[in-house]
Amino acid sequence: MWLFLRLDGIGEFEHPQHPNMMVRDESKEIWSGGGLTMEYLEPQMCWKINFDGLLRKGPYRQQWSEEEGELVPVKFSLHWENSTDVFNFNVDNNPSTFARALAQEPWTIELFQRVKKQREQHFRHEQWGRSVGEIEIENCGKTELSLKGIRSHSYGVRNWAEIYRYVMILAHFEDGTAAHLTVINMPATTTHLTVGYVFFPDGRKAGIEWSNASLAQLAEDGLIQDEYGVSFTAGGKSFDVSAALDKQNCPVVYNGLTGSGVFHECIADFQLNGLTPGWGLVEFYYRDEAAQPVPNLQLGSKADPATAASPL
C-alpha cells in the first residue's frame, strides 16, 4: 500500500508504515488494510475510497527509521469515477515499440519462451478519472477535494527480480490530454522497452509508437535531477513533454518485505509541446541487490510480522 498526501498550506503526510509498503489484508470482501479501504461500486466505472487512521506529518522520509514521528488523525472519503476508456496493456499497446525492443536482443528459443510466459502471467490496465470528497485532519478542519488521477490495476504474477530499473511518467494536461510513458529494463527479455499511451481530449486512445526516452539519460546514476524532457509519438501525432520535479515532494517506498527495490515518487509540473501545463509524477524504480529486511517489521497495529501480507 502507498498512501501519501500533500495539502497546500497544511503540509505533507504519509502512512506510518512507509517507506515499507506492506500491510495486513483486513477483509475478504473488499480491499482493506492499514486504515484504507477501496471498494468498487460499478466495475471500471465507480470506486469508493475511505481512510480513517493515523498519518505521519512530513517531510517525507527517504529511509527507514524506528522513530514514529508526528502522527496525526486523518479521515477522508472519496468517490472515484472514470473519465476515460480503459487502456489494456496486453491488447492496446502499439506493437512497434515491442518489436523495436525485441530487435535489440539476441534471439534464442529461451528468450521467446520467457516473453511468452510473461505475457501469459501478468496483466495490467489503466484509466483516468476524478475523485470527489472531503478530508478531515485533526486541528485543521475539513477540506473539500476534487482530484484528477489514474486507476492502475496490475494483477497476475509479476516477478520483480526480473525488473532491473524503470522510469514511468504519468501526466494529465489542462486541455484534457492524459499520458503514460514507461521505459523499462528487464534483462531476461527486453533491456530497453518503451510502453505507454495517450488519451486525447476527445476520448480517443492510442498506444505510444516511438519515444526518444532512454534510461541512460534518466537518473542512471541514481541522482534524480530537477528537470527532464522526452518526446514520443502516438495516434500519428508528436508530443514533447517537459517535467519540473518538486524535489521536496519525492517520497520513497521499499518494494516488499526485504526492500529489494526502491521506488521514488516525484511529484512534477509538466508542459506539453511548450504550451499546455499539466500535473503528475515521475516514478523511478531501482533494484537494490544489497537491501536488508526492514527491522522488526509490524504489518499494521495488531499484526504479527510472521504473517502473510498483501501489497496494494
Side-chain angles (χ1 to χ4, degrees):
M1 179 189 74
W2 302 1
L3 179 52
F4 300 99
L5 295 174
R6 183 185 67 170
L7 295 175
D8 290 342
I10 298 178
E12 298 82 35
F13 301 85
E14 62 183 346
H15 198 277
Q17 287 288 97
H18 294 338
N20 163 52
M21 70 173 187
M22 307 300 289
V23 295
R24 177 192 288 271
D25 189 355
E26 298 172 350
S27 172
K28 295 182 179 180
E29 305 300 326
I30 61 175
W31 193 95
S32 178
L36 180 69
T37 62
M38 303 177 69
E39 179 181 8
Y40 75 84
L41 304 178
E42 186 176 350
Q44 299 183 349
M45 294 292 292
C46 303
W47 286 72
K48 182 170 64 175
I49 307 167
N50 293 320
F51 178 78
D52 186 354
L54 297 175
L55 295 182
R56 181 170 55 235
K57 193 168 184 180
Y60 297 127
R61 290 189 176 175
Q62 301 300 304
Q63 60 185 8
W64 175 261
S65 172
E66 295 286 352
E67 297 294 328
E68 282 190 338
E70 181 185 355
L71 301 183
V72 180
V74 175
K75 295 181 181 179
F76 63 75
S77 179
L78 300 171
H79 178 90
W80 184 92
E81 188 169 330
N82 76 318
S83 59
T84 70
D85 192 5
V86 171
F87 187 90
N88 187 326
F89 283 84
N90 292 77
V91 298
D92 293 332
N93 269 327
N94 192 295
S96 63
T97 56
F98 187 74
R100 189 175 295 110
L102 200 58
Q104 300 178 48
E105 306 299 327
W107 287 11
T108 64
I109 293 177
E110 290 76 14
L111 170 66
F112 288 100
Q113 288 174 338
R114 291 193 295 268
V115 170
K116 182 175 182 290
K117 182 179 179 181
Q118 279 187 356
R119 183 173 179 82
E120 292 174 345
Q121 288 188 337
H122 182 252
F123 308 90
R124 180 175 183 175
H125 63 258
E126 291 183 351
Q127 61 185 151
W128 291 75
R130 181 187 296 273
S131 297
V132 177
E134 68 175 19
I135 183 170
E136 181 178 3
I137 301 174
E138 186 176 69
N139 299 324
C140 295
K142 295 182 179 180
T143 302
E144 293 186 355
L145 299 175
S146 179
L147 310 170
K148 293 179 181 178
I150 189 171
R151 184 182 73 87
S152 182
H153 187 185
S154 178
Y155 58 101
V157 178
R158 173 183 282 180
N159 185 355
W160 283 96
E162 294 181 350
I163 300 176
Y164 176 68
R165 194 165 89 82
Y166 71 75
V167 176
M168 179 174 66
I169 296 172
L170 296 170
H172 191 282
F173 297 93
E174 202 171 65
D175 66 352
T177 301
H180 171 143
L181 173 68
T182 290
V183 189
I184 186 169
N185 179 348
M186 297 180 290
T189 53
T190 48
T191 54
H192 196 278
L193 173 64
T194 301
V195 295
Y197 59 80
V198 171
F199 277 108
F200 293 89
D202 62 4
R204 290 182 299 120
K205 64 181 178 182
I208 287 177
E209 303 151 358
W210 166 89
S211 175
N212 68 348
S214 169
L215 285 175
Q217 299 175 357
L218 295 169
E220 174 69 21
D221 56 3
L223 301 177
I224 298 173
Q225 303 300 315
D226 294 331
E227 296 183 352
Y228 289 99
V230 296
S231 299
F232 53 87
T233 60
K237 293 190 175 183
S238 298
F239 300 84
D240 295 315
V241 173
S242 60
L245 278 57
D246 184 348
K247 298 294 285 295
Q248 300 302 314
N249 289 288
C250 191
V252 167
V253 187
Y254 297 153
N255 185 11
L257 291 168
T258 64
S260 57
V262 180
F263 302 89
H264 298 262
E265 302 295 318
C266 299
I267 296 172
D269 291 325
F270 289 88
Q271 272 206 334
L272 175 61
N273 297 329
L275 296 173
T276 308
W279 305 268
L281 65 83
V282 183
E283 178 178 296
F284 299 83
Y285 177 77
Y286 299 88
R287 190 169 68 197
D288 185 358
E289 302 286 3
Q292 299 297 315
V294 176
N296 302 317
L297 177 63
Q298 298 291 322
L299 302 181
S301 58
K302 300 180 181 179
D304 179 344
T307 60
S310 300
L312 176 60

